[in-house]
Amino acid sequence: MSKKTLFDKVWDAHVVNTIKNGPQVLYIDKHLIHEVTSPQAFNELEARGIPVFRPNQIVATADHNTPTQNQDQPIKDDLSRKQLEQLSINCEKNNITLYQLGHKYNGIVHVMAPELGFTQPGMTMVCGDSHTSTHGAFGTIAFGIGTSQVAQVFASQCLLLTKPKSLRVTVNGRLKNGVLPKDVILYIISKLGTNSGTGFFCEYAGDVFQNMSMEGRMTVCNMSIEMGARGGMIAPDQTTFNYVKGRAYAPKGKDFEKKVAYWKTLPTDKGATFDKEYTFDAEDIEPMITYGTNPGMGIKISENIPTIKDSSFIKSLEYMNFEAGESLINTQINYVFIGSCTNSRIEDFRVAAQYVKGKQKADNVTAWLVPGSKQVEAQIIEEGLKTVFEQAGFELRQPGCSACLAMNDDKIPQGEYCVSTSNRNFEGRQGQGSRTILASPLVAAATAIAGKIVDVIENIETLEFA
Amino acid sequence: MEKFTTLTSRAIPLDIANVDTDQIIPARFLKATDKKGFGDNLFRDWRYNKEGSENVEFTLNQPKYAGNILVAGDNFGCGSSREHAAWALVGYGFKVIVSSFFADIFKGNALNNGLLPLQVSKNFLQHLMSEINADPKVKLRVDLRNQKISISSSKRFENFEIDAYKKTCLINGYDDIDYLLSKKEMITAFEAKKIY
């Protein structure tokens, strides 16, 4: 029998039909929806008189357009309020479970779905959001889709797709203290560029990923799209099974055991080949930051901005008000954001709290901590992290996408730098004229304390970050 | 979906690489629940100055350029999956986007809205940019059936690739929902015998 990759195994098990010389009909197990990319799909179906085919395979949450303060009060912005109301109406009409604002399970779609056990190995999952790649951390084929495709899944629980090519990124070795999963993915993207993965599905392999927690794996897979890959996957193992076990919507008892037996068959066969392979050494990775306007423009904090003679590169540095060849250490930073579907899980706040404990935030810094879900928020309080943050002068807000995309009220002002744990540093991404510097939660916490970019490795002293 | 077969038009150059969907349509304009009006905010933060006046430097605001074809730099449409980007381009009046590379999700979204993402070689793209710069009145001809893009003033042309199924959809104005609904029985049968 031919050797198969993890991706092949999951994909092939979901092919309903193949059009001759054309795409395949791929069955979708779970469809996640939110307020921004679903309304036009519901309209489309209604206009054509088509019912939602499998409402019980759809999970809805409100996250992009929600405020992160006073969530118990009516939303002030008319358009935002109407968009959320529309989601409630659409879900009710079509018998779709909605975890709306204020619900104890509400949160960013890519945080709450794994947390509730909706995300499981071997599944196909889609959502009208490019960071759906997050769920690949479970050995799931998960990817972002457009609204027309949302309508297709509503109508048929399937999509017409051409099978992507395969790519494997292997990182072996031991990560240095203070180097987090976010640094690993920023490092990979800085080496491979923003479109190296376009047309590919990526598998992350090697002991760095094997030794990573599920939270860390989610951070890595989340940013697969930032190198153009539709999705990223990590082979399911005992860490995965332990995470899924006992979650609200995970299989239970004998069912769970049966599933685990199947999930164990999914990892890539020895000798299976990939269309493209890259290998990196864990020892070479250091805490990273970005200096430009796409996630591929990243450097180690200890490095200087490169000098490249290219008009798009020059335009990007002009926007950021940085000079080619300069170091970013000591750059004054007035805004710090810890949150987004990339880094808003409990582990991210534990790391930040560990660094912040007993220190004081710099006076010039406004620091927003935005948990990914109500459950993460509850855990932050329960573990006493909220007290640590408040004593250090940080503001803990309510769950949502927040300042990652400047769609809600949380925006970074014109011209200001924000060291952010989110995923995109595009022009204006965090607010018109805002300048984003992507980093790990540890680097973000250290920036907030110092009020400027610092070489975090020199500052962690005796702290040990797993 | 509107049908697409051929188009002869002038073109607007946007010589910037990695144009992401946040530039095409910023997130603050994604609050609508229908598909209308996004064209007004296409490239909003490049097209208008902070105080709302037109940025005269920006390509769409230069009277010398016109047409239904946008000729853009490498890796067009990267970033967010928002289909609003395709709606904004269509809403503004574009029917074809030419680039040397398209991001996956954007490409699919464009095709699902009758907007042709036409991929050419880097050389041909550069040539197009310089022809348009030299003479903004130059016309391009896009022939989907023969998968050919040509420049009217010179004899230069290039053939382009497109998925055969998507080509049929564009030429006939079909969308994927029609096809998928015709496979309902097959889908239900698949559900009954899933192996996982």
Side-chain angles (χ1 to χ4, degrees), chain A residues 24 37 45 49 70 77 96 103 114 124 133-134 167 189 198 246 264 312 314 321 324 338 349-350 353 368 412 432 436:
Chain A
Q24 294 181 303
T37 56
L45 255 67
N70 306 318
D77 182 275
I96 295 166
H103 191 286
T124 48
S133 57
T134 310
L167 156 71
I189 301 168
T198 307
K264 283 183 175 168
S312 296
I314 293 164
N321 198 24
I338 302 184
F349 293 100
R350 285 185 191 139
W368 293 335
I412 308 303
Q432 267 181 286
T436 303

Side-chain angles (χ1 to χ4, degrees), chain B residues 43-107:
Chain B
F43 296 119
R44 177 78 200 196
D45 294 339
W46 285 346
R47 213 166 127 195
Y48 297 96
N49 296 314
K50 180 82 181 162
E51 73 284 0
S53 60
E54 273 193 6
N55 170 12
V56 292
E57 305 277 301
F58 187 59
T59 186
L60 293 191
N61 296 330
Q62 293 191 32
K64 62 179 176 182
Y65 299 127
N68 310 107
I69 302 175
L70 182 71
V71 179
D74 199 53
N75 198 27
F76 186 84
C78 57
S80 149
S81 64
R82 60 187 72 163
E83 195 160 315
H84 312 66
W87 301 333
L89 288 158
V90 171
Y92 187 83
F94 288 115
K95 296 188 186 313
V96 177
I97 313 291
V98 180
S99 174
S100 50
F101 198 85
F102 290 95
D104 269 344
I105 308 181
F106 174 79
K107 193 176 180 175

Side-chain angles (χ1 to χ4, degrees), chain A residues 301 328-331 355 443 446-447 450 452-457 459:
Chain A
I301 293 186
L328 293 185
I329 291 176
N330 291 329
T331 304
Y355 184 85
V443 171
T447 306
K452 57 185 186 176
I453 295 174
V454 291
D455 191 349
V456 72
I457 293 278
N459 284 261

Side-chain angles (χ1 to χ4, degrees), chain B:
Chain B
M1 200 172 75
E2 219 174 292
K3 294 179 186 180
F4 187 103
T5 47
T6 57
L7 174 72
T8 302
S9 165
R10 289 170 61 187
I12 301 178
L14 179 65
D15 197 3
I16 301 173
N18 301 312
V19 172
D20 59 74
T21 52
D22 274 85
Q23 304 321 313
I24 300 173
I25 183 90
R28 63 185 188 280
F29 299 111
L30 307 187
K31 296 181 183 188
T33 53
D34 57 27
K35 297 182 186 177
K36 291 182 217 115
F38 289 106
D40 297 342
N41 294 312
L42 175 70
F43 296 119
R44 177 78 200 196
D45 294 339
W46 285 346
R47 213 166 127 195
Y48 297 96
N49 296 314
K50 180 82 181 162
E51 73 284 0
S53 60
E54 273 193 6
N55 170 12
V56 292
E57 305 277 301
F58 187 59
T59 186
L60 293 191
N61 296 330
Q62 293 191 32
K64 62 179 176 182
Y65 299 127
N68 310 107
I69 302 175
L70 182 71
V71 179
D74 199 53
N75 198 27
F76 186 84
C78 57
S80 149
S81 64
R82 60 187 72 163
E83 195 160 315
H84 312 66
W87 301 333
L89 288 158
V90 171
Y92 187 83
F94 288 115
K95 296 188 186 313
V96 177
I97 313 291
V98 180
S99 174
S100 50
F101 198 85
F102 290 95
D104 269 344
I105 308 181
F106 174 79
K107 193 176 180 175
N109 288 342
L111 288 165
N112 283 332
N113 286 278
L115 174 68
L116 177 66
L118 195 162
Q119 188 166 327
V120 294
S121 67
K122 280 194 175 167
N123 272 342
F124 194 75
L125 182 72
Q126 244 177 13
H127 185 76
L128 279 177
M129 291 283 186
S130 43
E131 287 256 357
I132 300 166
N133 280 335
D135 175 15
K137 290 209 165 59
V138 69
K139 282 193 174 167
L140 308 184
R141 182 176 157 78
V142 176
D143 176 351
L144 178 57
R145 273 183 217 281
N146 295 310
Q147 298 178 213
K148 186 173 160 186
I149 177 169
S150 43
I151 303 169
S152 57
S153 55
S154 61
K155 292 260 154 60
R156 264 186 108 131
F157 71 93
E158 194 167 89
N159 288 101
F160 61 88
E161 298 286 319
I162 181 168
D163 179 276
Y165 167 80
K166 279 294 174 193
K167 179 178 169 182
T168 312
C169 286
L170 277 176
I171 289 174
N172 297 294
Y174 298 156
D175 71 14
D176 291 355
I177 291 190
D178 300 324
Y179 179 84
L180 289 167
L181 286 175
S182 75
K183 297 289 170 217
K184 267 281 179 68
E185 265 178 47
M186 201 181 252
I187 295 166
T188 311
F190 175 87
E191 287 178 320
K193 59 173 186 59
K194 276 190 296 199
I195 59 159
Y196 52 91

